[in-house]
Amino acid sequence: MILSKLFMGLGIGLTKTSRNKSKFILPWRWGNILANPQFRATSSRLLLSYLLAMMVVMGLSSMTVYHFFAHSLYQQLDSQLLILADAAAHNLSAIQVDRMAVHHKMPRILDHDGDLDIPWQDLRLYRQSVEWFDPQKQLLGKAGQQFPETPFVTSFHSWQKNGLRTLTIPVYSAGKNRQLFGYVRVSASTVEVEKELNRLLMGLGFGDVLGMILIGGTGWWLTSKALQPIEQSFQQLQQFTADASHELRSPLTAIKTTVEVIQSHPERIHPLDIKKITVIESATRQMTHLVEDLLLLARSDSASVSLPKTAIPMPIDDILFDLIDTLQPQAESQEITLEADLIDEVWVKGDANQLQRLFGNLLENALQYTPNGGFIKVKIFKWDDFVIIEVTDTGIGIPSENLSLVFNRFWRAEKARSRRQGGSGLGLAIVQAITYAHSGEISVTSQIGVGSCFRVKLPVFE
């Protein structure tokens, strides 16, 4: 009946159940965008991934535009050099006759041979130069101010060095028996081209920055809006888990009390019912433990990670000594060596019950998955302003690909683990939640057939 009411309450928003029955109420903040810290962190990761992807796309697009534009400009410059070289070839014969011809004003003479009949002084533009060579590659004359400082190259390809783009063409005589008449080398400065490319680069950079700002703003808004319905559903699920856990405590307590009363008067129990009552008592104990675990996790999910209000300075070694003394009989019954290597007077600020549950879960987990004759060791050591507690066992181990999943709720690495008696699958999830609540960190290393090591790092109180 109670669960039916809870499910009905979930369907209408859990308002009645939340107001009247549950002591643990999650605040509804429908107007806020991503009020839950977990979803804000998720939104930030999604936004960062989106921005990185867009940066790559925009960077590749800008590089493509830049290289295409640069290729176009240099092609245009090469075309100008080729035209200049063709025109300069027309004057090679005059310079071969008189090397001083380049220093005299020459008239334009049209010979109608299809070439550009342009006098040498009208050939070049600003920042251009022309050089004429004989067939033996000896310089005959030159005009201009900037000339390439590299050896003469006859390859019919433009090349660039020290801010000059250079092209060399051979010149042949007219007629059927074409003979090499000489060479013409033309050069042009790339300063203007580079200025244009720099302006383009600045424009692309400014556009990319502006684009990333706009994309970041719209991406943040879209990501928040996309995650908001998921957050609301998650809050509903949290509310239901908390309400269900709280409401189930009363009937479970009643069942547990009834069973204890019956067991306190064994003479009234029929021998055939003893086993049934034992099963009921065991199931009630497991359900109570599961409900407490769910309630603890729901509370840890609903608030940001922080120390509990009951936190006080306490020696962590005392908590571990008490736990080891409590679990020593169980270890001996399984023929497991439970050893401690603790240092005294290491104080941490925290809640004693929660810390006891944290390390109790780790030790019970080690006992459960360590075969008979195995070994478990608890060790404490200090590192800077932290105390590190290691729980090492020689158990069955966890595959390396599953190590990132060990703290997930209801997750077990192997089918063999699902047969654990009395386990809810929430022990390590609770360990992680309590560790984070105490501003600590937890990690695990493991190897199949060798064992596992859980390491908890907590800040030292001084």
Side-chain angles (χ1 to χ4, degrees), residues 291-302:
V291 167
E292 294 294 335
D293 288 348
L294 288 173
L295 187 57
L296 174 62
L297 291 174
R299 284 172 175 166
S300 67
D301 287 340
S302 65

Side-chain angles (χ1 to χ4, degrees), residues 34-56:
L34 300 183
N36 190 295
Q38 295 178 346
F39 280 88
R40 286 201 299 270
T42 302
S43 175
S44 300
R45 289 194 295 269
L46 288 175
L47 179 60
L48 181 61
S49 301
Y50 176 67
L51 289 178
L52 288 176
M54 292 306 300
M55 285 178 62
V56 172

Side-chain angles (χ1 to χ4, degrees), residues 8-153:
M8 292 174 63
L10 179 63
I12 61 173
L14 295 172
T15 54
K16 182 177 180 181
T17 304
S18 301
R19 287 196 303 265
N20 300 333
K21 295 185 177 182
S22 178
K23 295 181 180 178
F24 173 66
I25 301 176
L26 287 173
W28 293 106
R29 293 174 286 189
W30 298 102
N32 294 348
I33 296 179
L34 300 183
N36 190 295
Q38 295 178 346
F39 280 88
R40 286 201 299 270
T42 302
S43 175
S44 300
R45 289 194 295 269
L46 288 175
L47 179 60
L48 181 61
S49 301
Y50 176 67
L51 289 178
L52 288 176
M54 292 306 300
M55 285 178 62
V56 172
V57 172
M58 294 183 67
L60 291 176
S61 300
S62 299
M63 288 175 59
T64 302
V65 171
Y66 178 83
H67 286 291
F68 176 80
F69 193 69
H71 179 71
S72 177
L73 288 179
Y74 281 117
Q75 270 195 330
Q76 184 178 0
L77 184 59
D78 289 342
S79 298
Q80 294 175 0
L81 288 176
L82 184 59
I83 293 173
L84 176 61
D86 286 339
H90 183 75
N91 298 276
L92 180 59
S93 57
I95 294 175
Q96 282 183 329
V97 174
D98 181 8
R99 295 191 179 188
M100 301 300 295
V102 294
H103 300 291
H104 304 292
K105 184 71 175 179
M106 295 177 62
R108 180 177 181 182
I109 302 173
L110 300 178
D111 55 10
H112 305 289
D113 60 356
D115 294 333
L116 294 174
D117 299 306
I118 303 176
W120 69 264
Q121 59 268 20
D122 297 329
L123 282 176
R124 52 182 167 64
L125 299 174
Y126 179 63
R127 297 182 184 275
Q128 289 182 340
S129 62
V130 183
E131 296 172 282
W132 291 270
F133 296 86
D134 62 14
Q136 288 74 36
K137 305 177 184 179
Q138 298 297 317
L139 180 65
L140 298 176
K142 60 182 181 180
Q145 295 180 351
Q146 290 181 299
F147 301 95
E149 298 177 356
T150 56
F152 185 81
V153 179

Side-chain angles (χ1 to χ4, degrees), residues 84-349:
L84 176 61
D86 286 339
H90 183 75
N91 298 276
L92 180 59
S93 57
I95 294 175
Q96 282 183 329
V97 174
D98 181 8
R99 295 191 179 188
M100 301 300 295
V102 294
H103 300 291
H104 304 292
K105 184 71 175 179
M106 295 177 62
R108 180 177 181 182
I109 302 173
L110 300 178
D111 55 10
H112 305 289
D113 60 356
D115 294 333
L116 294 174
D117 299 306
I118 303 176
W120 69 264
Q121 59 268 20
D122 297 329
L123 282 176
R124 52 182 167 64
L125 299 174
Y126 179 63
R127 297 182 184 275
Q128 289 182 340
S129 62
V130 183
E131 296 172 282
W132 291 270
F133 296 86
D134 62 14
Q136 288 74 36
K137 305 177 184 179
Q138 298 297 317
L139 180 65
L140 298 176
K142 60 182 181 180
Q145 295 180 351
Q146 290 181 299
F147 301 95
E149 298 177 356
T150 56
F152 185 81
V153 179
T154 59
S155 175
F156 189 68
H157 294 286
S158 61
W159 51 275
Q160 183 173 326
K161 188 174 182 180
N162 298 330
L164 285 178
R165 198 166 182 88
T166 303
L167 175 67
T168 303
I169 64 170
V171 180
Y172 294 93
S173 61
K176 293 183 179 180
N177 298 324
R178 300 182 61 190
Q179 294 182 348
L180 182 64
F181 204 62
Y183 300 93
V184 174
R185 183 168 70 176
V186 294
S187 303
S189 174
T190 59
V191 172
E192 296 300 325
V193 174
E194 291 173 356
K195 286 182 179 179
E196 289 294 328
L197 291 178
N198 288 334
R199 284 194 289 268
L200 174 64
L201 197 59
M202 291 178 61
L204 291 175
F206 177 78
D208 287 346
V209 172
L210 181 61
M212 289 306 300
I213 293 174
L214 296 176
I215 290 173
T218 55
W220 174 83
W221 183 80
L222 290 174
T223 303
S224 300
K225 283 296 183 182
L227 288 178
Q228 191 173 8
I230 303 175
E231 183 190 23
Q232 293 171 354
S233 299
F234 180 72
Q235 288 178 335
Q236 287 182 327
L237 181 60
Q238 279 185 319
Q239 187 71 64
F240 171 73
T241 303
D243 288 341
S245 301
H246 179 76
E247 294 294 341
L248 284 172
R249 296 171 74 181
S250 297
L252 287 173
T253 301
I255 295 172
K256 182 179 179 182
T257 303
T258 302
V259 171
E260 289 176 350
V261 170
I262 294 174
Q263 289 178 331
S264 64
H265 297 83
E267 70 279 359
R268 300 180 184 179
I269 305 175
H270 192 280
L272 297 178
D273 294 332
I274 295 178
K275 185 176 181 180
K276 298 177 183 178
I277 293 175
T278 303
V279 172
I280 294 174
E281 189 271 336
S282 176
T284 304
R285 186 173 61 253
Q286 292 181 29
M287 282 291 294
T288 302
H289 192 269
L290 175 60
V291 167
E292 294 294 335
D293 288 348
L294 288 173
L295 187 57
L296 174 62
L297 291 174
R299 284 172 175 166
S300 67
D301 287 340
S302 65
S304 55
V305 177
S306 61
L307 284 175
K309 294 180 180 180
T310 55
I312 59 173
M314 64 187 66
I316 193 68
D317 54 293
D318 286 352
I319 295 176
L320 293 172
F321 270 124
D322 292 342
L323 284 172
I324 291 172
D325 288 341
T326 302
L327 295 174
Q328 193 67 48
Q330 180 181 347
E332 292 176 356
S333 65
Q334 297 178 223
E335 300 179 355
I336 295 176
T337 301
L338 182 55
E339 183 179 297
D341 182 8
L342 310 180
I343 56 178
D344 298 333
E345 300 300 326
V346 180
W347 294 74
V348 298
K349 187 176 182 180

